[in-house]
Amino acid sequence: MFAEFPWLTLIIWLPILGGIAVIASGDKSAELTKQISLGVALLTFLVSLPLWFSFESGSAAMQFVERSAWIPSLSIEYYLGVDGISMPLILLTTFITIFVIIAGWDVITYRPSYYMGAFLIMEGIMVGVFSALDAILFYFFWEAMLIPMFLIIGVWGGANRVYATIKFFLYTFFGSVFMLIALIYMYFQADSFSILDYQDLQLGMTAQTLIFIAFLLAFAVKVPMFPVHTWLPDAHVEAPTGGSVILAAIMLKIGGYGFLRFSLPITPDASASLDWLIIALSLIAVIYIGFVALVQQDMKKLIAYSSIAHMGFVTLGFFVVFTIVRQTGGSDGAVMGIEGGMVQMISHGFISGALFLCVGVLYDRMHTREISSYGGVINKMPWFGAFAVFFAMANAGLPGTSGFVGEFMVILATFRADFWYAFLAATTLVLAAAFTLWMVKRVVFGPIGNQQVAQLKDLNIRETVNLGTLAAATLAIGIWPKPLVDVMEPSIVNLVQQVQVSKLPEAATSVASLQP
């Protein structure tokens, strides 16, 4: 009975309606507006916890399913459900939104009700993306995400916010158009918009390849993968701190989720045939973007490029599975690769969000993100310095932090596919340490850089709670990742079994026999 309650509907629409109410309340009492916004975010997180505690971790089936007619004439349904892949991402979304609301508490003075309301609405929409099992419902939420983020960057962003928002919108909308065409094509093949029905379709190689490319254009932009990554640094630099946190911690993960929900299970033959392309683009992201990060002078831009490099690890873990199956004939390494990618996504949500919060702390005090404007911050802000060093180490993959677990699992899995893939991927451990610690050295350590730094005040209570909670989450997964892996494993094992069976109509052959 507990699991039959419409939890997903509640988690989606509570923040959306709460956000609308916050906007409607106006800015007459800014403090009350912030308190209501934080209350809605906390309540949403609390009502999302039953997804974890009532989840049957030994099952790969969709759980908490809700299904009813939405547009019957077009066979479009309000169809929701979660498995071990989507459920952790929903909890990550409801968790991170709390810190975004807290981060804007003192610094957002222009129309705070609209700012807080936009983030709450976006929270519900993102939960909708992760829980939608109807293709049109998924597309509805997917496109709706653009609106609040467009406004957040465009209204509360930096000097070049208009350029950044238009670039962000055009990049993401362009890829989505091709995805919509692919979804409509599959509707005529399956006579249904159910994503699970799409996964059972028998499709020819040409159709699979075109559908795979359509999905790739949509999901690669969101991740973002090289070479469609250039919108992200601009968006991060111009976005307010909360916008950067949501972009890095949640929105990038939606692209990775799309590969697991659509590309791999619906087009396994095309995925196997074109896996070399994704692996190549992933390794370029890991290595080339790592070098690009090394030369950045803006802290936000450096962390943005770091995110691109770390998400390259995610896509590498997802698509190396076919090479592993071809090389070993087994699926253990393939499961580890996808699990590593998933752990990396969750971990990156904590670490990148925390790093952007750290930059926000400094920016709120000195109104500059230039690395050269700082130096010796730890002399005036010892608590901030401790958190900054901790998250920098986690970003570099220090053992004992969540940043190490996902990367280590992906590298181990990649070794089973090809030594050189693993060797090239492992360079991120060196590059991440180089650009992250080099930034920390110049900003945090050394003598006090200037008079502005000498006037800095250490973290207040809200900032300490934000960074301290994220540090605890980073340590928890780094020290004990087993509960997270156990929840994901049945769904990932099921996915790996799916992608090993050809969907070509002429023969039910093994995908492992397909050569790239």
Side-chain angles (χ1 to χ4, degrees):
M1 181 64 70
F2 189 71
E4 293 174 0
F5 185 82
W7 290 107
L8 293 174
T9 292
L10 183 60
I11 301 166
I12 292 170
W13 293 104
L14 173 62
I16 291 176
L17 296 176
I20 293 171
V22 166
I23 291 172
S25 69
D27 298 316
K28 293 180 180 179
S29 176
E31 196 67 23
L32 180 61
T33 293
K34 296 169 187 176
Q35 291 171 0
I36 294 172
S37 301
L38 180 59
V40 172
L42 286 168
L43 184 59
T44 303
F45 175 65
L46 290 176
V47 299
S48 70
L49 291 178
L51 296 186
W52 179 273
F53 292 111
S54 297
F55 192 82
E56 296 180 20
S57 58
S59 171
M62 289 293 171
Q63 301 179 42
F64 301 93
V65 173
E66 302 172 37
R67 192 169 191 175
S68 58
W70 181 21
I71 309 176
S73 60
L74 297 176
S75 303
I76 299 174
E77 298 177 297
Y78 182 76
Y79 187 11
L80 305 173
V82 295
D83 61 1
I85 294 171
S86 54
M87 185 270 287
L89 293 170
I90 291 175
L91 289 177
L92 177 67
T93 303
T94 60
F95 183 64
I96 292 294
T97 304
I98 298 170
F99 305 110
V100 170
I101 298 297
I102 295 173
W105 201 274
D106 293 324
V107 298
I108 301 300
T109 56
Y110 177 72
R111 295 195 170 182
S113 64
Y114 289 81
Y115 179 85
M116 303 292 183
F119 276 112
L120 292 173
I121 291 170
M122 189 160 62
E123 175 186 15
I125 292 171
M126 291 188 296
V127 172
V129 170
F130 291 128
S131 56
L133 295 180
D134 180 275
I136 297 302
L137 184 63
F138 173 87
Y139 186 78
F140 169 78
F141 285 125
W142 174 277
E143 289 297 294
M145 278 190 308
L146 297 180
I147 300 171
M149 182 52 73
F150 182 89
L151 294 174
I152 287 166
I153 300 175
V155 176
W156 292 276
N160 294 321
R161 58 186 180 273
V162 174
Y163 168 78
T165 50
I166 292 174
K167 189 173 183 180
F168 161 72
F169 185 86
L170 290 178
Y171 266 69
T172 51
F173 185 74
F174 173 79
S176 301
V177 171
F178 295 98
M179 179 174 70
L180 179 61
I181 294 171
L183 296 177
I184 294 173
Y185 171 81
M186 288 188 290
Y187 163 74
F188 287 109
Q189 302 301 309
D191 195 29
S192 166
F193 278 114
S194 169
I195 296 171
L196 301 183
D197 289 344
Y198 287 175
Q199 294 176 0
D200 294 330
L201 276 178
Q202 300 286 300
L203 296 167
M205 194 63 182
T206 300
Q208 282 197 41
T209 301
L210 292 174
I211 292 170
F212 177 85
I213 292 172
F215 286 148
L216 178 62
L217 290 172
F219 302 145
V221 170
K222 270 288 195 295
V223 167
M225 297 177 65
F226 176 89
V228 290
H229 65 282
T230 57
W231 66 267
L232 184 68
D234 292 323
H236 271 308
V237 167
E238 300 305 326
T241 298
S244 292
V245 172
I246 286 293
L247 265 176
I250 312 297
M251 289 191 72
L252 306 191
K253 313 305 179 291
I254 291 172
Y257 171 76
F259 283 125
L260 297 184
R261 185 64 76 221
F262 288 89
S263 301
L264 292 179
I266 294 174
T267 60
D269 304 278
S271 298
S273 179
L274 295 172
D275 65 340
W276 60 271
L277 174 63
I278 309 300
I279 291 171
L281 294 177
S282 300
L283 291 174
I284 290 172
V286 168
I287 301 170
Y288 166 70
I289 300 299
F291 281 110
V292 172
L294 270 172
V295 299
Q296 299 305 312
Q297 299 302 312
D298 184 299
M299 288 186 285
K300 259 195 177 183
K301 191 168 283 190
L302 186 150
I303 300 168
Y305 280 113
S306 169
S307 294
I308 299 168
H310 282 98
M311 289 302 292
F313 246 85
V314 172
T315 50
L316 176 65
F318 291 169
F319 280 88
V320 79
V321 298
F322 300 101
T323 308
I324 293 172
V325 172
R326 284 193 291 263
Q327 294 286 357
T328 67
S331 60
D332 289 346
V335 171
M336 184 185 295
I338 296 179
E339 285 179 350
M342 277 294 300
V343 172
Q344 176 75 347
M345 286 205 293
I346 301 296
S347 166
H348 182 262
F350 297 143
I351 297 170
S352 65
L355 286 172
F356 280 114
L357 287 174
C358 286
V359 175
V361 166
L362 293 178
Y363 184 80
D364 294 341
R365 287 158 169 76
M366 288 183 52
H367 304 290
T368 178
R369 294 182 300 268
E370 291 296 318
I371 294 173
S372 59
S373 299
Y374 294 90
V377 169
I378 198 168
N379 294 293
K380 305 302 294 185
M381 303 176 69
W383 279 107
F384 170 83
F387 282 120
V389 171
F390 172 80
F391 289 117
M393 293 291 188
N395 196 52
L398 180 72
T401 67
S402 61
F404 173 77
V405 179
E407 291 182 358
F408 185 66
M409 292 173 73
V410 171
I411 291 173
L412 279 182
T414 307
F415 256 114
R416 302 193 181 192
D418 187 282
F419 167 79
W420 290 109
Y421 290 170
F423 175 81
L424 293 172
T427 59
T428 191
L429 301 174
V430 178
L431 291 173
F435 60 68
T436 310
L437 298 181
W438 179 233
M439 177 184 70
V440 169
K441 176 185 180 295
R442 288 178 288 172
V443 171
V444 175
F445 295 108
I448 293 177
N450 53 56
Q451 189 60 35
Q452 281 185 292
V453 174
Q455 302 299 318
L456 289 176
K457 303 288 186 185
D458 209 352
L459 301 176
N460 59 36
I461 293 175
R462 279 190 287 272
E463 292 164 341
T464 303
V465 168
N466 264 5
L467 296 177
T469 307
L470 288 171
T474 301
L475 279 173
I477 294 180
I479 295 171
W480 194 37
K482 188 177 185 298
L484 178 60
V485 173
D486 287 347
V487 162
M488 298 186 303
E489 187 158 358
S491 297
I492 291 175
V493 168
N494 180 62
L495 174 62
V496 170
Q497 291 171 349
Q498 275 185 293
V499 303
Q500 290 185 74
V501 178
S502 173
K503 298 292 177 66
L504 296 175
E506 56 268 20
T509 56
S510 169
V511 171
S513 64
L514 295 174
Q515 296 299 318

